[in-house]
Amino acid sequence: MKAITKHYIDGAFVESHGTEVMDIVKPTNGRVIGRVTLADEEDTKRAIAAAKNAFACFGRSTKEERTKILRRLHEAASARIEDLTAAMVEEYGGVVQFAGLIVQSGINAFQAAEQALQELPLTRSWGKTTVTLEPVGVAGLITAWNANALFICLKLASAVAAGCTVVIKPSELSSLQTQVLIEALHEANLPKGLLNVVTGRGNVVGAELVRNPDVAKISFTGSVGVGKSIMRDGAETMKRVTLELGGKSPTILLDDAVLDQAIPSALVMAFLNSGQACAAGTRLLVPNSRLDQVKRAIVESMSAFRVGDPADPKTAIGPMVSQKQYEQVQSYIRKGIAEGAQVLVGGEGHPQGFESGYFVKPTVFVNVKNDMTIAREEIFGPVLSVITYDSEDDAIRIANDSQYGLHAAVLGTDLGRARRVASQIRAGRVVINNMTDDPRAPWGGFKYSGVGREYGRYGIEAFLETRAILA
């Protein structure tokens, strides 16, 4: 049993001033595997003060100095990739085949930020006017539990590239993963106070970051409700905010799609990270004329999405992160049935043989209307809603009929047509035929999916302000 009692402040691991202790529970069996002492306001204020002191110097750093730090961060994190992956599998229940990719993506964020920084002009002049891009100041980074290493590394890389110092509040559900990551990053020999990490509850640590006048910027990944409160409460001290708040992503299957390729791809996107992914394609839009074919193809393809031990490379779907999340997914499955949707595969309860953990049955609903709860709200579990459409315009209308607009996909053989459809979807990122990624492409959403963008130069720019000097 591991006990975590320290936070990372001003370049050192220091004992928590906060005294609340929380159990760390393994989601595959519900057993306690560790305990973490949570930070309080005093811990948070101390971390903010350290970041503020460090910014006085680091805020004036050159592009070359930041580049060297990004390289050291990449090297330090790379040395612990196996440990980081193992921690995600154990504490979060992330399946190893996906956890490894998530961790690697996070580590790669340092390289991507370095490249973007080199390509980003920080000074522009004309006549007697000079405009410079200046770091905004101390940044509060608040991250979610479903991809801990990715979120921390991504936000940290962008902030460092911009010249900001940071205070990170990771999810308390990711305490073991955070400990491994911070131990790794400590080896990068960073300037004291550049990186500070305090693990605690959102209504304590997060609230202090949002209201503290010495924090200039908040970058948050999480729920819409919390995002709204950050915008509201942060306005008191004129916080700059970047918010990534989830989605209800549509996957449009065009009538020319080859089903033995398109359906497995659609299911991969739906069950991404056991469904606990903001980008999960949880609404599958299919032509009315092909519904029966699609249903058969889904049933035939489900054998590839095996539930099981997340440490087994053959496992595609692991447990939910907590009992609370398990119960939430179950409540949505019951609501879908109550509202008239038909269970094609899956349904309520635990998969056979996995009663002790927080496992759910990967579930596909058909006969779903876009106004049903399961088609409107983010479930954050392996639950897919199949919705039919009459025409291409109807498919686009349904796809856009959502309060969210984070991610989307289009599946079809005519790439020109697929691109045309993609260009009409109100989402921050649209992929064609596969779940692809580009670390230089912006990440973020329209509507309730958030404010601002991350990744590449877009992520760095979110931590910069412009200053004009005129003579």
Side-chain angles (χ1 to χ4, degrees):
M1 172 117 24
K2 184 159 188 176
I4 300 172
T5 63
K6 296 180 179 181
H7 309 292
Y8 190 73
I9 300 174
D10 206 21
F13 291 93
V14 298
E15 288 292 336
S16 179
H17 181 272
T19 58
E20 181 186 358
V21 177
M22 188 190 81
D23 288 342
I24 301 169
V25 179
K26 188 171 184 175
T28 55
N29 55 27
R31 295 176 183 170
V32 176
I33 56 174
R35 291 188 173 90
V36 57
T37 303
L38 301 179
D40 62 7
E41 290 181 8
E42 187 63 32
D43 293 310
T44 312
K45 289 177 179 178
R46 183 177 176 185
I48 293 170
K52 181 181 179 181
N53 289 337
F55 181 70
C57 180
F58 188 66
R60 300 194 302 270
S61 59
T62 65
K63 183 180 286 191
E64 290 71 25
E65 289 168 333
R66 298 172 199 172
T67 294
K68 289 178 181 178
I69 289 176
L70 288 167
R71 287 175 182 168
R72 295 205 303 270
L73 285 166
H74 179 262
E75 291 171 2
S78 296
R80 298 290 298 274
I81 186 169
E82 292 182 3
D83 295 335
L84 289 165
T85 302
M88 184 175 178
V89 172
E90 180 183 32
E91 180 180 41
Y92 167 66
V95 296
V96 69
Q97 59 175 273
F98 185 74
L101 295 175
I102 282 288
V103 169
Q104 187 65 64
S105 294
I107 293 171
N108 290 346
F110 296 117
Q111 282 186 323
E114 178 192 339
Q115 180 180 355
L117 178 60
Q118 298 305 322
E119 298 169 355
L120 178 63
L122 298 179
T123 302
R124 185 184 173 200
S125 299
W126 61 90
K128 296 182 179 181
T129 298
T130 300
V131 177
T132 57
L133 296 178
E134 303 292 334
V136 67
V138 175
L141 313 181
I142 304 175
T143 63
W145 42 258
N146 60 315
N148 185 68
L150 172 61
F151 294 139
I152 291 177
C153 292
L154 174 62
K155 294 178 189 294
L156 174 62
S158 295
V160 167
C164 293
T165 57
V166 307
V167 178
I168 301 175
K169 192 215 87 66
S171 170
E172 59 273 25
L173 295 177
S174 304
S175 298
L176 294 179
Q177 299 167 74
T178 299
Q179 183 70 15
V180 176
L181 180 56
I182 301 310
E183 287 174 359
L185 299 183
H186 176 70
E187 297 302 317
N189 192 29
L190 303 175
K192 288 185 177 181
L194 169 59
L195 169 64
N196 305 274
V197 184
V198 279
T199 298
R201 299 193 184 279
N203 60 1
V204 179
V205 176
E208 180 60 33
L209 288 172
V210 171
R211 65 173 170 253
N212 194 297
D214 288 333
V215 177
K217 162 86 181 181
I218 295 290
S219 178
F220 168 77
T221 299
S223 70
V224 171
V226 175
K228 287 180 178 180
S229 71
I230 288 173
M231 289 193 76
R232 181 178 60 249
D233 298 342
E236 184 68 26
T237 52
M238 285 295 178
K239 290 285 190 294
R240 276 58 177 158
V241 296
T242 298
L243 307 173
E244 195 268 272
L245 306 178
K248 192 68 184 176
S249 302
T251 298
I252 298 179
L253 187 144
L254 297 174
D255 55 18
D256 66 348
V258 178
L259 294 190
D260 62 1
Q261 298 171 10
I263 292 303
S265 182
L267 293 176
V268 165
M269 288 186 274
F271 300 146
L272 195 69
N273 204 12
S274 304
Q276 298 175 122
C278 50
T282 53
R283 290 186 296 148
L284 176 58
L285 281 50
V286 305
N288 266 311
S289 60
R290 303 198 70 181
L291 177 60
D292 289 341
Q293 299 173 44
V294 167
K295 288 162 67 174
R296 286 194 296 271
I298 289 173
V299 172
E300 291 170 0
S301 299
M302 283 302 295
S303 61
F305 296 88
R306 171 179 150 186
V307 177
D309 178 1
D312 185 341
K314 295 180 181 178
T315 296
I317 298 176
M320 301 297 93
V321 70
S322 64
Q323 179 67 27
K324 178 182 177 182
Q325 190 64 25
Y326 169 84
E327 291 171 355
Q328 175 169 301
V329 176
Q330 293 300 311
S331 72
Y332 275 110
I333 293 173
R334 290 191 294 270
K335 195 167 290 186
I337 295 169
E339 292 185 358
Q342 176 190 346
V343 175
L344 179 66
V345 294
E348 285 187 76
H350 293 275
Q352 187 174 358
F354 294 95
E355 290 78 13
S356 63
Y358 307 138
F359 294 91
V360 302
K361 298 174 185 176
T363 298
V364 179
F365 281 104
V366 293
N367 297 342
V368 178
K369 305 299 181 185
N370 201 49
D371 60 356
M372 291 181 177
T373 303
I374 56 173
R376 307 301 295 181
E377 298 182 10
E378 187 174 39
I379 297 172
F380 234 59
V383 180
L384 173 63
S385 294
V386 177
I387 303 168
T388 57
Y389 66 83
D390 296 319
S391 65
E392 185 179 296
D393 287 343
D394 190 36
I396 294 166
R397 179 191 63 79
I398 294 171
N400 289 332
D401 181 18
S402 171
Q403 70 173 358
Y404 294 106
L406 180 66
H407 198 272
V410 180
L411 308 177
T413 55
D414 184 338
L415 292 182
R417 180 190 182 195
R419 281 186 172 274
R420 186 183 71 245
V421 171
S423 70
Q424 298 176 72
I425 300 175
R426 300 281 291 173
R429 188 182 283 196
V430 186
V431 298
I432 295 175
N433 287 333
N434 291 293
M435 189 65 187
T436 56
D437 187 31
D438 182 342
R440 295 178 298 174
W443 175 259
F446 288 39
K447 299 180 280 188
Y448 280 68
S449 285
V451 175
R453 294 294 183 268
E454 298 184 282
Y455 279 84
R457 66 178 295 167
Y458 304 93
I460 298 172
E461 288 171 347
F463 290 89
L464 294 167
E465 296 273 28
T466 56
R467 178 173 63 202
I469 297 177
L470 295 75

